Amino acid sequence: MESGCSKNVESCPKLLDLIPQEREWHLKREERRDGSSEEKKLELRLGPPGESNWSNKNNTERDESLLSLGYFSSMKSNGKQTHKFPCPEDHPVGSVLSTPWAKNHHQQQTMPPFLQFPSTTAPPQTLPVIAKESSQPCCNKAVDLQEAERKAFKPPANTAVPLNGSQKRTAPGPVVGWPPIRSIRKNLANSSSSKLASESPTHKAANEKPAAEPNGKGLFVKINMDGVPIGRKVDLKAYDSYEKLSTAVDELFRGLLAAQRDSSAGGIVNKQEEEKAITGVLDGSGEYTLVYEDNEGDSMLVGDVPWHMFVSTVKRLRALKSSELSALSRECRFYY
Amino acid sequence: MNYFPDEVLEHVFDFITSHKDRNSVSLVCKSWYKIERYSRQRVFIGNCYSISPERLIARFPGLKSLTLKGKPHFADFNLVPHDWGGFVYPWIEALAKSRIGLEELRLKRMVVSDESLELLSKSFVNFKSLVLVSCEGFTTDGLAAIAANCRFLRELDLQENEVDDHRGHWLSCFPESCTSLISLNFACLRGEVNLGALERLVSRSPNLKSLRLNRAVPLDTLQKLLMRAPQLVDLGIGSYVHDPFSEAYNKLKIAIQRCKSIRSLSGFLEVAPHCMSAIYPICGNLTFLNLSYAPGLHGNKLMKLIQHCRKLQRLWILDCIGDKGLGVVALTCKELQELRVFPSDPFEAGNAAVTEEGLVLVSAGCPKLNSLLYFCQQMTNAALITVAKNCPNFIRFRLCILDPIKPDPVTNQPLDEGFGAIVQSCKGLKRLSLSGLLTDQVFLYIGMYAEQLEMLSIAFAADSDKGMLYVLNGCKKLRKLEIRDCPFGDAALLEDVGKYETMRSLWMSSCEVTLGGCKAVAEKMPSLNVEIIDESEQMEFNLDDKQKVDKMYLYRTLVGHRKDAPEYVWIL
């Protein structure tokens, strides 16, 4: 198997040394480098690149488009950057690149050691996660910023634990649209009727993981009632229990339902009277029963899960005629 | 200069089939434009709102095959509200009124109503092929219309659509005279089908090459179908649950062995893993295997199955295959070009069974690998660097770490270097999806190296506007950029608004762009539709320009603002 590196034997970084012994990366022998020669290539180089591992073709381009600096630093010393350099980012980035960064660099003579080096066995709390390995190649940071940003800089010797800038991203809880898979795939483990259940750890949670709401302001969901062509919207954040929701449903639809009945009955009607309260939507005792569609597209009976969990997964509501529910549930057995 | 008669040029153009090439041909000169447009039969429209059906019809009177895409890609992940748009009806209506002899319609992420299907089925005498991918809005009644009215139907291919299954007898609606079917895929339907009708249909379709069944088709029907259609090339098994000692199973074994042409196998929507040995006889010929809907298949049974598939070029699998299973793939499938590993339990982080190790193994064992979709627990820079070295031929590289901002667990660093290695090494990379902890640095690399990149998906990454700027400045061939939850704001958005006209679309959600910023883009670029999608109704009441916009979708268009946007979409 040819890998890109096989052509560039002399300049392949010694990846393997940085990888814990117990893992086997199936790398070729040629790629194991003798440490010292590798280091030479990564040694301090100030000034225009002229060494063999830079592509010859691109000299002119290189002059205008890149700057490379390399230096050895003993990464062991301290994690914190001792000097602050203008960086593309104002925070430490521990990248190591000794590539000639000319865009048209056809032949990869130097495999950019997109390497970090800091190894594997770093104790988490100390910063420089760095190696006991003394022959660390180090940060040659050669970066070509956009033409506008051409300035020389040296990256900090080491990177501390990531990175101030990124800390503002807190680890998201359950998030809408993540992981990026289609709804069809979300419920696979549960809906498969094979003997899976006994063989794998509980999948129940998969069903119940709520999708976080994108914002904390009112949560308006659509609600339709069977037989009433006009739907309503209800703000679920305004309620804190199923009972209150039930009352709200009654308030929203009582008038509409009465109007519907009147118009279907034909004839002149007095709207004021005969507005029947809509009750029993949660327990099946009333004429209508509340169901909802959750974030996975499934139709669910309202009332099974704790209220907050319901709020975080509901996408829309429906009030179905209770008499049709039993017909529906008979049909539903073909679904899964 | 045109020394050739038109017919000669037309004949020459016949050999030019790619859309890009035909588009280029039409730009050469007026007479080439004219010849090209009259001879063009297949048109691809990547964004249905970029052009109108009327203009399409006017330009290509000889149109036979139309491909349309509707909703933005993130609609697949519930980020786009249901009724955002992408309705196919106006297209079918316009085509029906014209004299276009439509024969093929391929739709992706569009809303297809039963009325559209009915109109389609009645309007085009020679209609042959309907392919619906990730569409919604129709029921089995619409399918019944297609079955009943399209006398020369060859292909009905439904992939991952949301279909309201009325369990009507749509399959029975294929008339007895219909014998032209080549491809029938209804795997995504959830309801029962009339098994007798299915058997009769298959029996009278001697050209049937591709058959993908849904879950409701039991094993004994499968066996009967295979007996009637041993010429199948592509098979999607519905239910595969049975008793290994039963007569049905024995019959199935015999039936499968007769199917020597099967090259592609999918489905297993319900599976009993101890019965996979019946499949072994055909495994050696398979070039495509899709087990991504079969969580019941894992461990040794799965590995044994894979070991029989030496010619596999494309494999879609669940992560319960594990790193070890991927090792088996690496040893066995030397022809592998495409690998997709889906999460079997997406919300239980910690259970995902593949890590960077599996990927590295495959990259080492499968040198032809050029397309990847990989959902995993974690990834390291070292692994990505190795993969980049092993497989410099990636065209599509989509990595999804289930915890979207997870750093390299070994070094605690962001994954900038790893992805940097990928873009640097894979010079032909056209599509890239990133995940894991990422800073602006990775975008610098992308801008510098990813010269062929056409589509980029970013989530929970970067630290500042610079990230987006690196990409917009660097990736000259970028067509689609979709971003969610990144700190990119107006500065990045407005830096080079002309760029967006060179792209199909830009999606930004949960970023830092403001209403004012979006308005500025819209003002400067009348050739773009800038849509703000806001379901929380705050836009109605609060028109402050400094307000952050939750979802913005902009795309180039020749026909201005669309008229079918719902109330919560504001087109600036």
Side-chain angles (χ1 to χ4, degrees):
Chain A
M1 170 195 62
E2 286 306 296
S3 72
C5 202
S6 57
K7 304 186 187 79
N8 311 313
V9 163
E10 47 174 349
S11 49
C12 279
K14 36 179 195 146
L15 264 180
L16 275 185
D17 290 359
L18 306 171
I19 295 165
Q21 294 306 319
E22 59 269 19
R23 300 190 189 187
E24 296 179 354
W25 293 115
H26 294 257
L27 290 180
K28 291 170 126 174
R29 288 266 147 210
E30 300 95 35
E31 295 171 12
R32 296 177 187 263
R33 299 293 320 147
D34 168 18
S36 53
S37 64
E38 189 62 19
E39 280 168 61
K40 277 213 189 83
K41 302 212 182 321
L42 300 174
E43 257 174 1
L44 184 61
R45 268 186 307 230
L46 293 170
E51 299 186 14
S52 58
N53 58 337
W54 298 93
S55 159
N56 295 328
K57 307 180 203 174
N58 298 319
N59 273 329
T60 44
E61 279 160 300
R62 184 159 335 96
D63 287 341
E64 64 185 12
S65 69
L66 62 93
L67 262 173
S68 71
L69 290 179
Y71 63 93
F72 251 148
S73 73
S74 70
M75 307 213 326
K76 293 182 253 197
S77 49
N78 43 13
K80 296 241 191 298
Q81 30 180 148
T82 47
H83 0 245
K84 190 112 176 135
F85 295 109
C87 275
E89 258 329 313
D90 246 3
H91 61 261
V93 176
S95 62
V96 176
L97 304 154
S98 69
T99 335
W101 279 53
K103 267 192 164 178
N104 303 322
H105 187 56
H106 300 290
Q107 201 175 349
Q108 255 170 256
Q109 305 234 348
T110 317
M111 196 58 184
F114 285 93
L115 266 196
Q116 300 176 350
F117 13 355
S119 86
T120 62
T121 51
Q125 65 274 31
T126 61
L127 297 180
V129 177
I130 284 184
K132 317 272 178 173
E133 290 150 9
S134 47
S135 54
Q136 276 304 309
C138 323
C139 355
N140 293 325
K141 184 152 189 148
V143 177
D144 173 28
L145 303 185
Q146 311 299 315
E147 269 76 67
E149 281 189 82
R150 244 178 309 143
K151 38 190 178 190
F153 59 88
K154 297 192 218 165
N158 198 345
T159 358
V161 163
L163 309 176
N164 309 330
S166 58
Q167 273 157 19
K168 68 186 171 213
R169 287 194 295 275
T170 51
V175 169
V176 175
W178 194 269
I181 52 173
R182 298 191 186 166
S183 312
I184 306 173
R185 293 194 177 279
K186 284 185 185 165
N187 230 355
L188 270 184
N190 283 342
S191 58
S192 162
S193 67
S194 67
K195 334 280 192 246
L196 182 61
S198 52
E199 298 169 277
S200 30
T202 166
H203 291 277
K204 274 191 279 201
N207 240 344
E208 288 167 11
K209 273 285 196 287
E213 282 311 319
N215 54 32
K217 314 134 192 163
L219 177 59
F220 286 89
V221 297
K222 290 190 193 168
I223 172 165
N224 288 85
M225 176 169 276
D226 263 358
V228 180
I230 309 279
R232 304 293 305 261
K233 268 206 164 165
V234 56
D235 179 5
L236 291 176
K237 293 263 158 140
Y239 312 107
D240 59 11
S241 71
Y242 288 115
E243 285 64 45
K244 296 204 177 133
L245 174 64
S246 171
T247 316
V249 170
D250 176 34
E251 282 165 12
L252 287 172
F253 283 101
R254 196 195 287 202
L256 281 176
L257 197 54
Q260 198 65 19
R261 290 198 168 118
D262 294 344
S263 62
S264 54
I268 304 164
V269 194
N270 186 350
K271 282 197 197 127
Q272 256 66 38
E273 60 191 44
E274 299 314 337
E275 273 192 6
K276 228 171 46 161
I278 304 172
T279 55
V281 294
L282 295 171
D283 55 16
S285 63
E287 194 183 342
Y288 292 89
T289 301
L290 265 186
V291 302
Y292 69 100
E293 189 181 308
D294 70 3
N295 57 345
E296 292 168 351
D298 299 320
S299 292
M300 314 289 291
L301 206 58
V302 164
D304 286 335
V305 300
W307 173 258
H308 64 274
M309 199 182 284
F310 163 69
V311 168
S312 60
T313 57
V314 61
K315 287 296 165 215
R316 64 181 305 162
L317 284 160
R318 270 184 238 273
L320 301 181
K321 279 218 144 86
S322 304
S323 52
E324 292 199 357
L325 252 194
S326 47
L328 250 188
S329 47
R330 245 182 292 123
E331 293 172 351
C332 280
R333 98 185 122 89
F334 297 129
Y335 275 64
Y336 290 114
Chain B
M1 76 134 208
N2 193 4
Y3 304 133
F4 297 117
D6 289 0
E7 298 79 36
V8 173
L9 274 177
E10 226 180 278
H11 185 64
V12 172
F13 291 173
D14 273 349
F15 293 99
I16 302 173
T17 47
S18 104
H19 294 291
K20 276 192 190 144
D21 290 342
R22 291 216 72 140
N23 291 345
S24 306
V25 158
S26 67
L27 291 174
V28 167
C29 64
K30 280 204 175 121
S31 86
W32 280 38
Y33 175 87
K34 188 175 126 213
I35 298 169
E36 198 281 321
R37 72 176 255 258
Y38 279 111
S39 63
R40 178 100 131 209
Q41 293 188 340
R42 313 180 64 89
V43 175
F44 169 85
I45 296 178
N47 175 4
C48 63
Y49 290 119
S50 61
I51 190 74
S52 71
E54 290 74 25
R55 286 178 64 162
L56 170 75
I57 293 167
R59 180 167 171 192
F60 299 115
L63 182 68
K64 289 204 162 55
S65 162
L66 176 63
T67 303
L68 280 173
K69 291 191 180 181
K71 300 187 193 180
H73 176 232
F74 277 176
D76 280 350
F77 319 130
N78 299 327
L79 286 177
V80 176
H82 252 318
D83 38 349
W84 168 87
F87 306 105
V88 78
Y89 189 82
W91 290 84
I92 298 183
E93 196 184 19
L95 286 162
K97 285 192 188 136
S98 74
R99 299 213 302 222
I100 300 262
L102 194 69
E103 293 184 12
E104 177 178 80
L105 186 62
R106 308 168 73 95
L107 305 176
K108 186 166 186 180
R109 277 192 287 274
M110 294 201 69
V111 178
V112 181
S113 60
D114 282 344
E115 289 120 324
S116 327
L117 291 177
E118 217 183 298
L119 182 60
L120 177 69
S121 72
K122 292 185 176 156
S123 309
F124 307 103
V125 174
N126 279 327
F127 191 74
K128 295 193 171 71
S129 168
L130 180 64
V131 179
L132 302 178
V133 181
S134 294
C135 295
E136 53 165 354
F138 60 104
T139 76
T140 43
D141 295 346
L143 297 178
I146 297 285
N149 302 328
C150 299
R151 291 169 48 208
F152 303 114
L153 193 69
R154 290 192 196 162
E155 182 177 19
L156 179 59
D157 186 359
L158 307 172
Q159 299 176 30
E160 299 189 324
N161 301 291
E162 302 253 342
V163 185
D164 210 350
D165 198 329
H166 291 168
R167 283 176 301 287
H169 298 282
W170 66 276
L171 262 182
S172 325
C173 293
F174 281 102
E176 288 301 314
S177 55
C178 174
T179 57
S180 47
L181 269 183
I182 298 180
S183 166
L184 178 62
N185 172 6
F186 59 94
C188 63
L189 294 185
R190 297 206 241 178
E192 285 193 339
V193 288
N194 185 328
L195 299 175
L198 176 60
E199 285 175 46
R200 287 189 297 277
L201 179 62
V202 169
S203 298
R204 64 176 186 274
S205 303
N207 298 322
L208 193 67
K209 292 280 188 293
S210 168
L211 178 64
R212 295 195 184 187
L213 310 167
N214 76 346
R215 185 181 228 136
V217 179
L219 201 90
D220 52 343
T221 306
L222 172 65
Q223 176 263 322
K224 289 183 202 156
L225 295 172
L226 290 179
M227 290 301 282
R228 297 189 211 287
Q231 77 282 3
L232 281 179
V233 171
D234 169 22
L235 173 65
I237 291 182
S239 169
Y240 195 75
V241 178
H242 50 83
D243 172 2
F245 301 109
S246 64
E247 182 61 23
Y249 183 58
N250 283 330
K251 283 192 187 168
L252 179 72
K253 283 202 263 198
I254 298 170
I256 290 184
Q257 280 175 348
R258 294 178 69 223
C259 298
K260 301 203 189 303
S261 306
I262 293 183
R263 298 286 173 270
S264 160
L265 188 60
S266 61
F268 295 97
L269 305 175
E270 264 185 356
V271 62
H274 42 275
C275 301
M276 294 309 284
S277 54
I279 306 285
Y280 293 165
I282 54 170
C283 286
N285 291 328
L286 289 181
T287 56
F288 175 44
L289 178 60
N290 181 356
L291 297 174
S292 65
Y293 287 103
L297 204 49
H298 51 269
N300 286 336
K301 307 276 186 224
L302 178 55
M303 291 204 254
K304 250 195 118 182
L305 180 69
I306 303 263
Q307 279 169 331
H308 283 84
C309 303
R310 307 202 142 269
K311 291 197 188 157
L312 220 48
Q313 293 172 13
R314 296 166 61 211
L315 175 63
W316 293 21
I317 198 88
L318 287 172
D319 62 3
C320 40
I321 191 175
D323 287 332
K324 200 162 151 231
L326 288 177
V328 173
V329 172
L331 286 174
T332 312
C333 309
K334 296 302 182 186
E335 302 297 313
L336 197 68
Q337 295 174 26
E338 176 179 323
L339 175 67
R340 296 196 191 192
V341 180
F342 293 95
S344 50
D345 208 352
F347 301 110
E348 286 276 304
N351 278 349
V354 298
T355 67
E356 75 279 9
E357 294 190 27
L359 182 59
V360 171
L361 289 173
V362 175
S363 75
C366 308
K368 297 189 182 176
L369 196 62
N370 63 36
S371 174
L372 181 76
L373 172 60
Y374 197 74
F375 285 82
C376 58
Q377 188 65 261
Q378 62 182 43
M379 184 54 58
T380 64
N381 283 309
L384 284 174
I385 292 166
T386 307
V387 169
K389 278 208 311 241
N390 291 342
C391 299
N393 298 318
F394 274 116
I395 300 176
R396 282 177 289 277
F397 191 89
R398 298 158 67 187
L399 187 70
C400 178
I401 302 170
L402 290 172
D403 172 357
I405 54 166
K406 189 166 178 149
D408 178 333
V410 162
T411 63
N412 230 19
Q413 299 297 309
L415 292 176
D416 300 335
E417 300 307 308
F419 280 107
I422 294 284
V423 292
Q424 214 260 8
S425 165
C426 304
K427 304 204 184 303
L429 193 68
K430 290 193 179 168
R431 183 169 180 184
L432 178 64
S433 301
L434 308 169
S435 62
L437 185 66
L438 295 163
T439 71
D440 287 346
Q441 187 70 12
V442 70
F443 299 105
L444 176 64
Y445 295 151
I446 292 174
M448 287 195 61
Y449 289 114
E451 294 179 7
Q452 303 299 321
L453 196 66
E454 297 181 7
M455 181 168 176
L456 179 62
S457 309
I458 311 172
F460 302 101
D463 303 299
S464 76
D465 284 335
K466 289 198 177 118
M468 186 166 164
L469 288 172
Y470 290 146
V471 171
L472 291 176
N473 289 336
C475 300
K476 301 293 175 215
K477 297 205 176 170
L478 196 63
R479 292 192 298 117
K480 286 184 281 186
L481 181 57
E482 46 185 29
I483 305 171
R484 64 164 293 180
D485 293 274
C486 294
F488 302 141
D490 293 340
L493 181 67
L494 293 170
E495 168 88 2
D496 178 10
V497 291
K499 169 91 177 168
Y500 305 133
E501 219 176 20
T502 69
M503 293 166 53
R504 185 190 296 173
S505 65
L506 168 66
W507 168 282
M508 293 180 76
S509 60
S510 305
C511 296
E512 306 284 313
V513 294
T514 68
L515 182 57
C518 296
K519 280 185 184 171
V521 177
E523 233 179 82
K524 291 189 193 165
M525 301 291 297
S527 59
L528 300 177
N529 275 356
V530 181
E531 298 193 5
I532 309 290
I533 300 167
D534 190 305
E535 287 179 286
S536 68
E537 294 174 15
Q538 40 175 344
M539 285 287 167
E540 272 185 46
F541 303 111
N542 185 358
L543 292 170
D544 177 9
D545 276 2
K546 293 205 213 20
Q547 170 113 335
K548 295 231 174 86
V549 158
D550 188 36
K551 295 175 184 168
M552 180 206 72
Y553 180 54
L554 65 81
Y555 51 90
R556 66 181 175 193
T557 176
L558 292 174
V559 291
H561 291 185
R562 61 184 175 114
K563 311 272 185 304
D564 60 0
E567 49 176 21
Y568 53 80
V569 171
W570 280 263
I571 308 186
L572 300 177

